[in-house]
Amino acid sequence: MIINIEKINEFYQLIKAYDTIIIHRHVRPDPDAVGSQLGLKAWIQNTYPDKTVLAAGTIGESLAWLGKMDEVTRDDYQDALVIVVDTADQPRIDGKNYKQGKSLIKIDHHLLVDSYGDLEIVDENASSTAELLTQMTIHLSEVLPINKEVADLFYAGIVGDTGRFQFSNTTDQTFLSVGYLMKNGLDNVTINNYFNELEIEELRFQSLAISRIRQHEHGVASLIIYQKDLIDYEISEEATNSITNIPGRIKGVISWVVFIQQASESEKFRARIRSKGPNINPVAIAFDGGGHAMASGANATDKQSRDRLIEALIEVNQQYLEEL
């Protein structure tokens, strides 16, 4: 991981200079987005309790254990510093007023899609935005120390984006970051339990998901979930994150896609694409999405586009296997 010291110092000077700081992240938040957002808020307030630090956006029940969002009005942005974390492109930012502040910072670890902000701190080699923020805390430890709350939240973000340290984005820097968090009060056992425990409805839903998996040529698998399934099993779309990596547990599967119908009777499906080797990001980009080499999101507008996306994954896998 390469840390730009000048940018980190500029970040610190901006934190010191502003009395109001508003933190955004992407829509449909995952643990890294929320952990980074709320962890950054707690980090700032640990040293500057008199500053107004607000977390903007909405959050579902499945991530409510990480904390709460704040009520943020348009007036709050006057003379405010705005920070957007874990969001590669502006259309995915949760909240429309992020441009109304006086200064804007982007902190992210995704592949560069959209350059925005007066200050950009981006490291595509970081496993997660939470890991990048943890590295920033190490460099600023003497002036912006962290506490247990910060450590817990950043750890949740790292665990979420590394698949509990099983994904290939896990590096030596990831474990060095976690080690630093543990030295500063991290309760990793409690956080791990939050990730491991599921409601009984979610476990039953996983059984349905397993029965729906289809295997294709060259190590591709797919899974389709409909709105009716969510209603029948009393599951929110956010809670379906628990099934995203299930197809990857099948021996021989090296990339897969989970399609989630966006509305009853609708042909629009959100596609979660994952990989254990091939770079699937170009496929996501071709289908109105993006993300990482091994984990991306995309959109499918009808059955034909779903089939084309699967065929694109088959082609990527075939080329990957031929080059091994």
Side-chain angles (χ1 to χ4, degrees):
M1 180 180 293
I2 300 174
I3 293 290
N4 187 314
I5 301 301
E6 290 184 2
K7 288 188 175 183
I8 304 305
N9 290 337
E10 185 178 350
F11 162 83
Y12 170 60
Q13 293 303 323
L14 287 168
I15 294 298
K16 284 203 305 182
Y18 282 86
D19 292 326
T20 299
I21 302 170
I22 303 173
I23 308 171
H24 287 254
R25 37 77 185 155
H26 61 75
V27 296
R28 298 190 186 94
D30 56 11
D32 187 31
V34 178
S36 295
Q37 180 188 33
L38 295 180
L40 176 55
K41 174 184 175 179
W43 180 26
I44 296 169
Q45 290 190 316
N46 185 48
T47 299
Y48 299 107
D50 293 332
K51 289 184 183 291
T52 299
V53 187
L54 304 172
T58 58
I59 186 172
E61 290 184 7
S62 66
L63 293 178
W65 59 274
L66 286 167
K68 297 180 179 179
M69 298 296 107
D70 297 303
E71 293 289 337
V72 185
T73 68
R74 187 182 178 90
D75 291 341
D76 292 322
Y77 290 84
Q78 185 175 359
D79 296 323
L81 170 64
V82 178
I83 306 174
V84 179
V85 299
D86 199 41
T87 312
D89 54 323
Q90 295 177 77
R92 295 200 68 225
I93 297 174
D94 191 352
K96 297 181 179 180
N97 292 319
Y98 69 94
K99 289 184 178 180
Q100 304 304 316
K102 195 170 183 179
S103 188
L104 177 63
I105 300 175
K106 173 187 180 182
I107 303 176
D108 189 34
H109 75 120
H110 293 90
L111 298 174
L112 183 61
V113 176
D114 181 8
S115 182
Y116 64 89
D118 305 299
L119 172 64
E120 294 182 276
I121 302 175
V122 179
D123 187 346
E124 298 173 3
N125 295 313
S127 71
S128 53
T129 298
E131 180 183 320
L132 173 55
L133 283 164
T134 301
Q135 290 295 315
M136 290 169 61
T137 70
I138 294 173
H139 285 272
L140 295 172
S141 59
E142 292 187 3
V143 290
L144 278 178
I146 66 172
N147 58 14
K148 178 185 181 300
E149 180 183 8
V150 179
D152 285 351
L153 287 164
F154 284 169
Y155 177 76
I158 294 171
V159 168
D161 261 23
T162 60
R164 306 176 196 184
F165 312 107
Q166 297 180 80
F167 298 161
S168 61
N169 61 350
T170 305
T171 67
D172 58 334
Q173 292 298 314
T174 306
F175 289 113
L176 287 171
S177 297
V178 171
Y180 178 76
L181 296 176
M182 293 191 74
K183 289 180 180 178
N184 285 275
L186 167 64
D187 182 357
N188 59 302
V189 173
T190 297
I191 302 301
N192 289 339
N193 284 338
Y194 276 116
F195 279 97
N196 289 330
E197 293 175 351
L198 296 172
E199 299 290 343
I200 186 64
E201 292 82 7
E202 294 177 279
L203 285 172
R204 289 171 178 151
F205 180 71
Q206 286 192 1
S207 177
L208 170 72
I210 292 170
S211 71
R212 291 271 182 85
I213 296 173
R214 291 180 57 205
Q215 289 187 261
H216 309 275
E217 298 176 88
H218 304 297
V220 173
S222 65
L223 165 61
I224 300 179
I225 297 297
Y226 299 94
Q227 282 293 313
K228 185 178 183 302
D229 301 323
L230 305 186
I231 295 171
D232 290 345
Y233 284 81
E234 299 181 346
I235 293 291
S236 67
E237 180 176 340
E238 187 180 18
T240 64
N241 288 325
S242 66
I243 67 167
T244 300
N245 292 310
I246 287 178
R249 299 183 65 182
I250 299 173
K251 187 175 182 179
V253 169
I254 56 175
S255 73
W256 62 97
V257 56
V258 177
F259 295 105
I260 308 289
Q261 187 182 30
Q262 295 301 285
S264 299
E265 309 303 325
S266 171
E267 281 295 309
K268 184 175 181 180
F269 285 74
R270 181 67 179 165
R272 299 173 188 157
I273 312 173
R274 299 293 186 268
S275 169
K276 293 190 290 188
N279 179 4
I280 46 79
N281 187 247
V283 175
I285 292 173
F287 286 84
D288 187 31
H292 304 284
M294 305 294 174
S296 289
N299 293 286
T301 55
D302 53 29
K303 183 182 184 303
Q304 288 72 30
S305 63
R306 294 200 305 272
D307 291 342
R308 288 197 304 272
L309 196 157
I310 292 171
E311 287 297 324
L313 284 179
I314 291 173
E315 292 179 11
V316 167
N317 278 17
Q318 183 176 13
Q319 181 178 355
Y320 172 80
L321 292 170
E322 289 174 353
E323 293 175 352
L324 288 179

mmCIF file of all heavy atoms in Angstrom, residues 205-226:
data_model
loop_
_atom_site.group_PDB
_atom_site.id
_atom_site.type_symbol
_atom_site.label_atom_id
_atom_site.label_comp_id
_atom_site.label_asym_id
_atom_site.label_seq_id
_atom_site.Cartn_x
_atom_site.Cartn_y
_atom_site.Cartn_z
ATOM 1 N N PHE A 205 -33.695 -18.909 3.816
ATOM 2 C CA PHE A 205 -33.527 -18.289 2.516
ATOM 3 C C PHE A 205 -32.261 -18.800 1.831
ATOM 4 O O PHE A 205 -32.234 -18.994 0.615
ATOM 5 C CB PHE A 205 -33.475 -16.764 2.674
ATOM 6 C CG PHE A 205 -33.294 -16.019 1.396
ATOM 7 C CD1 PHE A 205 -34.321 -15.959 0.463
ATOM 8 C CD2 PHE A 205 -32.106 -15.366 1.118
ATOM 9 C CE1 PHE A 205 -34.163 -15.271 -0.726
ATOM 10 C CE2 PHE A 205 -31.938 -14.665 -0.059
ATOM 11 C CZ PHE A 205 -32.971 -14.624 -0.986
ATOM 12 N N GLN A 206 -31.220 -19.046 2.610
ATOM 13 C CA GLN A 206 -29.999 -19.595 2.037
ATOM 14 C C GLN A 206 -30.247 -20.973 1.431
ATOM 15 O O GLN A 206 -29.677 -21.327 0.395
ATOM 16 C CB GLN A 206 -28.897 -19.677 3.099
ATOM 17 C CG GLN A 206 -28.298 -18.332 3.468
ATOM 18 C CD GLN A 206 -27.030 -18.470 4.297
ATOM 19 O OE1 GLN A 206 -26.572 -19.578 4.595
ATOM 20 N NE2 GLN A 206 -26.453 -17.349 4.674
ATOM 21 N N SER A 207 -31.118 -21.744 2.067
ATOM 22 C CA SER A 207 -31.459 -23.059 1.532
ATOM 23 C C SER A 207 -32.123 -22.913 0.157
ATOM 24 O O SER A 207 -31.819 -23.673 -0.778
ATOM 25 C CB SER A 207 -32.391 -23.795 2.500
ATOM 26 O OG SER A 207 -32.786 -25.042 1.966
ATOM 27 N N LEU A 208 -33.017 -21.936 0.036
ATOM 28 C CA LEU A 208 -33.648 -21.668 -1.258
ATOM 29 C C LEU A 208 -32.592 -21.284 -2.293
ATOM 30 O O LEU A 208 -32.601 -21.777 -3.431
ATOM 31 C CB LEU A 208 -34.669 -20.542 -1.128
ATOM 32 C CG LEU A 208 -35.223 -19.994 -2.449
ATOM 33 C CD1 LEU A 208 -36.169 -21.005 -3.078
ATOM 34 C CD2 LEU A 208 -35.933 -18.654 -2.235
ATOM 35 N N ALA A 209 -31.683 -20.400 -1.893
ATOM 36 C CA ALA A 209 -30.651 -19.933 -2.815
ATOM 37 C C ALA A 209 -29.807 -21.093 -3.330
ATOM 38 O O ALA A 209 -29.506 -21.175 -4.528
ATOM 39 C CB ALA A 209 -29.774 -18.892 -2.124
ATOM 40 N N ILE A 210 -29.431 -22.001 -2.447
ATOM 41 C CA ILE A 210 -28.626 -23.160 -2.851
ATOM 42 C C ILE A 210 -29.366 -23.985 -3.897
ATOM 43 O O ILE A 210 -28.774 -24.443 -4.883
ATOM 44 C CB ILE A 210 -28.269 -24.019 -1.625
ATOM 45 C CG1 ILE A 210 -27.295 -23.252 -0.721
ATOM 46 C CG2 ILE A 210 -27.660 -25.352 -2.048
ATOM 47 C CD1 ILE A 210 -27.061 -23.898 0.624
ATOM 48 N N SER A 211 -30.663 -24.141 -3.727
ATOM 49 C CA SER A 211 -31.453 -24.939 -4.675
ATOM 50 C C SER A 211 -31.588 -24.267 -6.034
ATOM 51 O O SER A 211 -31.901 -24.930 -7.027
ATOM 52 C CB SER A 211 -32.852 -25.206 -4.094
ATOM 53 O OG SER A 211 -33.641 -24.018 -4.086
ATOM 54 N N ARG A 212 -31.340 -22.950 -6.094
ATOM 55 C CA ARG A 212 -31.492 -22.201 -7.337
ATOM 56 C C ARG A 212 -30.196 -22.099 -8.156
ATOM 57 O O ARG A 212 -30.224 -21.621 -9.288
ATOM 58 C CB ARG A 212 -31.969 -20.780 -7.022
ATOM 59 C CG ARG A 212 -33.394 -20.669 -6.499
ATOM 60 C CD ARG A 212 -34.391 -20.529 -7.648
ATOM 61 N NE ARG A 212 -35.734 -20.385 -7.126
ATOM 62 C CZ ARG A 212 -36.257 -19.225 -6.738
ATOM 63 N NH1 ARG A 212 -35.541 -18.115 -6.814
ATOM 64 N NH2 ARG A 212 -37.491 -19.177 -6.277
ATOM 65 N N ILE A 213 -29.095 -22.503 -7.610
ATOM 66 C CA ILE A 213 -27.818 -22.323 -8.306
ATOM 67 C C ILE A 213 -27.775 -23.168 -9.582
ATOM 68 O O ILE A 213 -28.106 -24.349 -9.580
ATOM 69 C CB ILE A 213 -26.638 -22.696 -7.389
ATOM 70 C CG1 ILE A 213 -26.580 -21.754 -6.187
ATOM 71 C CG2 ILE A 213 -25.317 -22.647 -8.160
ATOM 72 C CD1 ILE A 213 -25.559 -22.160 -5.149
ATOM 73 N N ARG A 214 -27.346 -22.533 -10.661
ATOM 74 C CA ARG A 214 -27.134 -23.221 -11.933
ATOM 75 C C ARG A 214 -25.657 -23.145 -12.292
ATOM 76 O O ARG A 214 -25.037 -22.095 -12.159
ATOM 77 C CB ARG A 214 -27.960 -22.569 -13.048
ATOM 78 C CG ARG A 214 -29.450 -22.769 -12.929
ATOM 79 C CD ARG A 214 -30.140 -22.079 -14.105
ATOM 80 N NE ARG A 214 -29.634 -22.576 -15.385
ATOM 81 C CZ ARG A 214 -29.668 -21.882 -16.522
ATOM 82 N NH1 ARG A 214 -30.127 -20.641 -16.532
ATOM 83 N NH2 ARG A 214 -29.203 -22.418 -17.646
ATOM 84 N N GLN A 215 -25.105 -24.245 -12.744
ATOM 85 C CA GLN A 215 -23.722 -24.261 -13.183
ATOM 86 C C GLN A 215 -23.657 -24.229 -14.706
ATOM 87 O O GLN A 215 -24.469 -24.869 -15.388
ATOM 88 C CB GLN A 215 -23.000 -25.503 -12.652
ATOM 89 C CG GLN A 215 -22.744 -25.439 -11.146
ATOM 90 C CD GLN A 215 -21.897 -26.590 -10.661
ATOM 91 O OE1 GLN A 215 -22.409 -27.565 -10.140
ATOM 92 N NE2 GLN A 215 -20.573 -26.472 -10.838
ATOM 93 N N HIS A 216 -22.697 -23.486 -15.229
ATOM 94 C CA HIS A 216 -22.516 -23.324 -16.666
ATOM 95 C C HIS A 216 -21.120 -23.788 -17.060
ATOM 96 O O HIS A 216 -20.369 -24.298 -16.237
ATOM 97 C CB HIS A 216 -22.739 -21.855 -17.054
ATOM 98 C CG HIS A 216 -24.008 -21.276 -16.534
ATOM 99 N ND1 HIS A 216 -25.217 -21.410 -17.179
ATOM 100 C CD2 HIS A 216 -24.256 -20.553 -15.408
ATOM 101 C CE1 HIS A 216 -26.157 -20.787 -16.485
ATOM 102 N NE2 HIS A 216 -25.600 -20.260 -15.404
ATOM 103 N N GLU A 217 -20.769 -23.591 -18.323
ATOM 104 C CA GLU A 217 -19.461 -24.008 -18.809
ATOM 105 C C GLU A 217 -18.335 -23.211 -18.156
ATOM 106 O O GLU A 217 -18.531 -22.084 -17.704
ATOM 107 C CB GLU A 217 -19.378 -23.807 -20.329
ATOM 108 C CG GLU A 217 -20.356 -24.607 -21.147
ATOM 109 C CD GLU A 217 -20.233 -24.239 -22.618
ATOM 110 O OE1 GLU A 217 -19.401 -24.862 -23.313
ATOM 111 O OE2 GLU A 217 -20.939 -23.308 -23.053
ATOM 112 N N HIS A 218 -17.164 -23.820 -18.147
ATOM 113 C CA HIS A 218 -15.925 -23.158 -17.756
ATOM 114 C C HIS A 218 -15.984 -22.505 -16.366
ATOM 115 O O HIS A 218 -15.428 -21.440 -16.139
ATOM 116 C CB HIS A 218 -15.523 -22.120 -18.800
ATOM 117 C CG HIS A 218 -15.375 -22.680 -20.183
ATOM 118 N ND1 HIS A 218 -14.438 -23.628 -20.511
ATOM 119 C CD2 HIS A 218 -16.064 -22.429 -21.329
ATOM 120 C CE1 HIS A 218 -14.544 -23.940 -21.792
ATOM 121 N NE2 HIS A 218 -15.529 -23.238 -22.309
ATOM 122 N N GLY A 219 -16.657 -23.166 -15.442
ATOM 123 C CA GLY A 219 -16.625 -22.726 -14.056
ATOM 124 C C GLY A 219 -17.451 -21.514 -13.719
ATOM 125 O O GLY A 219 -17.134 -20.777 -12.780
ATOM 126 N N VAL A 220 -18.528 -21.310 -14.454
ATOM 127 C CA VAL A 220 -19.448 -20.194 -14.165
ATOM 128 C C VAL A 220 -20.694 -20.738 -13.475
ATOM 129 O O VAL A 220 -21.192 -21.810 -13.817
ATOM 130 C CB VAL A 220 -19.853 -19.443 -15.456
ATOM 131 C CG1 VAL A 220 -20.932 -18.400 -15.161
ATOM 132 C CG2 VAL A 220 -18.636 -18.769 -16.071
ATOM 133 N N ALA A 221 -21.191 -19.990 -12.513
ATOM 134 C CA ALA A 221 -22.449 -20.334 -11.844
ATOM 135 C C ALA A 221 -23.333 -19.092 -11.785
ATOM 136 O O ALA A 221 -22.831 -17.958 -11.800
ATOM 137 C CB ALA A 221 -22.202 -20.878 -10.446
ATOM 138 N N SER A 222 -24.629 -19.308 -11.719
ATOM 139 C CA SER A 222 -25.561 -18.185 -11.625
ATOM 140 C C SER A 222 -26.688 -18.539 -10.668
ATOM 141 O O SER A 222 -26.966 -19.711 -10.392
ATOM 142 C CB SER A 222 -26.140 -17.816 -12.997
ATOM 143 O OG SER A 222 -26.935 -18.871 -13.506
ATOM 144 N N LEU A 223 -27.329 -17.494 -10.179
ATOM 145 C CA LEU A 223 -28.412 -17.643 -9.213
ATOM 146 C C LEU A 223 -29.371 -16.475 -9.393
ATOM 147 O O LEU A 223 -28.928 -15.322 -9.489
ATOM 148 C CB LEU A 223 -27.829 -17.656 -7.788
ATOM 149 C CG LEU A 223 -28.755 -17.449 -6.592
ATOM 150 C CD1 LEU A 223 -29.801 -18.553 -6.534
ATOM 151 C CD2 LEU A 223 -27.935 -17.408 -5.310
ATOM 152 N N ILE A 224 -30.669 -16.753 -9.478
ATOM 153 C CA ILE A 224 -31.664 -15.700 -9.649
ATOM 154 C C ILE A 224 -32.604 -15.667 -8.445
ATOM 155 O O ILE A 224 -33.135 -16.704 -8.036
ATOM 156 C CB ILE A 224 -32.491 -15.909 -10.933
ATOM 157 C CG1 ILE A 224 -31.583 -15.890 -12.160
ATOM 158 C CG2 ILE A 224 -33.559 -14.823 -11.065
ATOM 159 C CD1 ILE A 224 -32.331 -16.125 -13.469
ATOM 160 N N ILE A 225 -32.769 -14.471 -7.891
ATOM 161 C CA ILE A 225 -33.696 -14.267 -6.778
ATOM 162 C C ILE A 225 -34.748 -13.250 -7.213
ATOM 163 O O ILE A 225 -34.416 -12.181 -7.736
ATOM 164 C CB ILE A 225 -32.963 -13.739 -5.525
ATOM 165 C CG1 ILE A 225 -31.937 -14.776 -5.040
ATOM 166 C CG2 ILE A 225 -33.950 -13.387 -4.414
ATOM 167 C CD1 ILE A 225 -32.534 -16.102 -4.602
ATOM 168 N N TYR A 226 -36.009 -13.596 -6.966
ATOM 169 C CA TYR A 226 -37.120 -12.726 -7.361
ATOM 170 C C TYR A 226 -37.694 -11.996 -6.154
ATOM 171 O O TYR A 226 -37.503 -12.418 -5.002
ATOM 172 C CB TYR A 226 -38.218 -13.563 -8.039
ATOM 173 C CG TYR A 226 -37.761 -14.272 -9.294
ATOM 174 C CD1 TYR A 226 -37.310 -15.588 -9.238
ATOM 175 C CD2 TYR A 226 -37.771 -13.626 -10.527
ATOM 176 C CE1 TYR A 226 -36.870 -16.250 -10.380
ATOM 177 C CE2 TYR A 226 -37.340 -14.272 -11.677
ATOM 178 C CZ TYR A 226 -36.886 -15.583 -11.591
ATOM 179 O OH TYR A 226 -36.454 -16.219 -12.725
#
